[in-house]
Amino acid sequence: MSGRPSLKDADRDRNFVWHPYTQMKDWERQDNRVIVRGEGFYLVDDRGRRYLDGTASMWCNVWGHGQNEVVEAMREQLKHLQHSTLFGLASEPSARLAERLIKLARGSMDRVFYTDNGSTAIEAALKMALQYWQNRGKPEKKLFVSLEGGYHGDTVGAMSVGYIEQFFGAYKPLLAKVSRVPSPLFYGSKFESVQDLVEHCMEQTEKTLKKLDGKCAGLVMESGAQIAGGVVIYPQKYQQKISELCKKYDTLLILDEIATGFGRLGNMVEYLAQNSKPDIVCMGKALAAGYFPLAVTLAHEKIYDAFLGSYEKNKHFYHGHTFTGHPVGCAAALANLELYEKRNLMQQIKKNAQYIKQRLGEFEEIGVVADVRHSGMLAGIELARNGKPLMHLKSKERIDYFVARESLAMGVHLRALGNVMVVIPPLAIGRNDLEKMMDAHLELAKKAEKL
Ligand SMILES: Cc1ncc(COP(=O)(O)O)c(C=O)c1O
């Protein structure tokens, strides 16, 4: 039997797989694509149709699809050790990767806790923050603050801090109460300058921290930009100022770099570029470049130290998963980070970011394009008609459905976030493919204007 799924297998997928964030009633009526292999930056379906991976396979893909040194390293790892636990045992790849990540953090972080996806990296961070204060004899510090429009994943703690009504309304009974502070989105705000907006955000955040009156365990936010909340690129100094506020109010700063780190915004470590000083940082997605589910929660020594003590004091961290620090995932991440250097990826990202910036100028001439936001390998193109978010076409079709359907017909896989078209290519995409992707976005925006 060949390793590739047959058409029969593909048909079975249509019948039994329950897809995430997908209205299955619509799905069953569609010509659904069953991806059977990858070729470069393209995904190929069971009928041989090719689609440029314009979502970077949910924002994690770096090198495209195919054989390379990362796959080789994973194969090599599998020959020696498939999986062994970090509960009471160490493993070489997890130790080496942790060392590598601490080096990248350039003295700002000291310990690495492993999980297997971004959401659970956030869960670990929240639990770490709560227990940190508990262990330090300040159990009253148990509340969290987060940003409006933030997104941190789909597990219970992550949904609590990244609450989006449309997504999570039904799960509210499970969620913890969290205080929200404004996100620094200039478009559509009442402020005359970005500086005024930042000042407003600072005032509101400080007011909230004051109101919580020493009871705040941590402030959680995405680092550098919010993506799922509609691509909000933070203004200069915003994150630095939040970081300073957290210190002032003795609140832990928990940064989520899951989607924005490893070059997405043009910097390897985004929080360092933002001059911020987090206590805990979560990373995932591009860390293992899509080869393996892997995420990490990095902690400053100050956090780690609070968990030390005799066994009876019960201070140690009660979190762990079956696949915590999986050796194959760690080997993949190590090889991935080596490839970043070997292929000088950050340089390529700089050039491609420049190209994206230049192409975005073309969108400003389209009537329904109300705002364009960009940093590095991320851009958001906000669509509006008559000053209102363009959620539906005149035909009543939802804009995000339209983008998904039409882009596939054009041989590119794209997904919009509500009325915001998102440019988020695989990080090492070549210029020709990037051009094709920008062309597709442009054509879709022009079509949306007419339809
Ligand atoms: C900023 C951010 N945090 C956390 C997550 C959750 O990561 P995962 O989907 O790996 O659980 C995501 C996913 O898109 C994200 O964008």
Side-chain angles (χ1 to χ4, degrees):
M1 204 178 116
S2 108
R4 295 200 183 128
S6 66
L7 198 56
K8 224 167 150 205
D9 291 328
D11 277 340
R12 227 179 279 138
D13 170 273
R14 287 189 190 108
N15 292 334
F16 297 122
V17 177
W18 189 346
H19 290 261
Y21 282 80
T22 301
Q23 178 41 260
M24 295 305 291
K25 188 158 178 258
D26 294 342
W27 178 266
E28 279 161 16
R29 279 195 241 113
Q30 285 169 4
D31 165 24
N32 294 313
R33 275 77 170 173
V34 182
I35 302 304
V36 292
R37 65 174 189 278
E39 280 174 14
F41 291 96
Y42 285 79
L43 299 163
V44 185
D45 77 7
D46 54 346
R47 288 164 55 188
R49 295 174 294 188
R50 291 158 55 83
Y51 310 97
L52 183 57
D53 186 358
T55 66
S57 294
M58 284 321 287
W59 319 347
C60 68
N61 189 286
V62 177
W63 307 107
H65 306 270
Q67 303 299 307
N68 63 9
E69 289 92 324
V70 181
V71 180
E72 212 33 66
M74 294 169 77
R75 247 190 231 119
E76 207 45 45
Q77 181 57 47
L78 278 165
K79 283 186 208 159
H80 301 292
L81 173 70
Q82 299 77 40
H83 177 50
S84 85
T85 181
L86 289 190
F87 288 71
L89 291 172
S91 77
E92 209 210 333
S94 66
R96 284 204 295 131
L97 178 60
E99 191 182 351
R100 183 79 191 237
L101 292 170
I102 293 307
K103 236 186 225 158
L104 267 182
R106 287 193 260 132
S108 61
M109 288 287 138
D110 304 282
R111 302 284 163 168
V112 176
F113 191 88
Y114 285 103
T115 59
D116 38 36
N117 61 72
S119 307
T120 52
I122 294 285
E123 298 294 323
L126 298 175
K127 286 172 66 176
M128 227 177 241
L130 283 177
Q131 198 178 339
Y132 166 77
W133 292 115
Q134 185 95 29
N135 286 357
R136 284 199 43 202
K138 294 187 175 177
E140 71 281 6
K141 284 177 91 72
K142 58 185 176 190
L143 302 172
F144 287 98
V145 172
S146 68
L147 265 58
E148 281 161 7
Y151 175 79
H152 301 286
D154 285 355
T155 48
V156 169
M159 285 193 290
S160 303
V161 287
Y163 188 75
I164 296 175
E165 174 68 26
Q166 186 203 346
F167 294 174
F168 305 143
Y171 320 122
K172 218 169 179 175
L174 279 174
L175 308 185
K177 203 164 162 261
V178 169
S179 303
R180 305 285 147 199
V181 295
S183 146
L185 175 60
F186 186 58
Y187 167 76
S189 77
K190 58 181 184 191
F191 298 98
E192 279 184 7
S193 72
V194 172
Q195 207 184 337
D196 288 351
L197 165 70
V198 172
E199 263 172 41
H200 167 76
C201 290
M202 287 309 132
E203 275 166 24
Q204 292 302 309
T205 307
E206 181 150 20
K207 209 166 136 188
T208 302
L209 290 174
K210 246 189 207 157
K211 210 168 101 193
L212 293 178
D213 192 24
K215 296 197 183 76
C216 185
L219 184 149
V220 187
M221 66 185 226
E222 284 149 274
S223 182
Q226 294 179 320
I227 305 190
V231 185
V232 179
I233 312 286
Y234 297 162
Q236 268 198 346
K237 299 241 165 111
Y238 166 76
Q239 189 163 316
Q240 183 186 337
K241 287 183 177 185
I242 290 279
S243 171
E244 288 161 5
L245 262 191
C246 286
K247 294 281 168 293
K248 183 171 168 190
Y249 287 90
D250 199 19
T251 291
L252 300 180
L253 176 60
I254 301 167
L255 288 180
D256 176 348
E257 269 207 39
I258 291 158
T260 51
F262 299 108
R264 177 56 66 195
L265 301 187
N267 301 298
M268 194 64 184
V269 181
E270 185 56 32
Y271 71 83
L272 292 178
Q274 296 277 349
N275 275 324
S276 51
K277 294 191 173 130
D279 302 284
I280 299 172
V281 179
C282 300
M283 297 171 170
K285 297 218 188 241
L287 165 65
Y291 294 93
F292 208 89
L294 184 78
V296 287
T297 305
L298 268 53
H300 190 274
E301 199 77 67
K302 136 183 158 184
I303 305 292
Y304 178 78
D305 283 350
F307 287 73
L308 304 178
S310 68
Y311 214 91
E312 290 67 37
K313 290 215 166 116
N314 210 22
K315 283 188 164 181
H316 47 284
F317 191 33
Y318 283 96
H319 192 93
H321 301 278
T322 306
F323 300 122
T324 290
H326 198 290
V328 179
C330 292
L334 273 164
N336 174 41
L337 295 177
E338 263 160 42
L339 263 195
Y340 266 68
E341 281 183 12
K342 194 169 151 197
R343 298 193 185 171
N344 205 354
L345 180 62
M346 295 311 290
Q347 197 53 33
Q348 188 192 347
I349 285 177
K350 267 201 183 81
K351 287 190 188 147
N352 274 339
Q354 203 52 37
Y355 174 75
I356 292 174
K357 188 175 172 201
Q358 173 208 322
R359 291 297 309 270
L360 287 171
E362 296 169 41
F363 289 77
E364 282 160 17
E365 289 150 27
I366 303 169
V368 288
V369 172
D371 194 35
V372 172
R373 305 186 277 273
H374 168 233
S375 179
M377 297 294 279
L378 171 72
I381 301 154
E382 174 124 17
L383 305 179
R385 213 186 313 257
N386 305 323
K388 291 200 187 108
L390 183 66
M391 304 305 286
H392 296 91
L393 298 174
K394 287 174 197 153
S395 65
K396 303 264 183 292
E397 184 178 22
R398 278 173 52 155
I399 194 83
D400 48 356
Y401 272 39
F402 163 77
V403 167
R405 182 176 52 72
E406 278 290 302
S407 66
L408 285 174
M410 291 157 72
V412 184
H413 179 232
L414 299 177
R415 283 172 69 88
L417 292 161
N419 66 321
V420 180
M421 293 171 62
V422 191
V423 179
I424 190 160
L427 290 168
I429 192 169
R431 181 58 59 86
N432 289 346
D433 289 335
L434 185 56
E435 187 178 344
K436 177 172 172 155
M437 199 177 138
M438 295 307 292
D439 287 347
H441 275 292
L442 193 65
E443 198 177 322
L444 287 170
K446 284 181 179 166
K447 275 191 182 170
E449 167 146 55
K450 290 202 193 99
L451 296 173

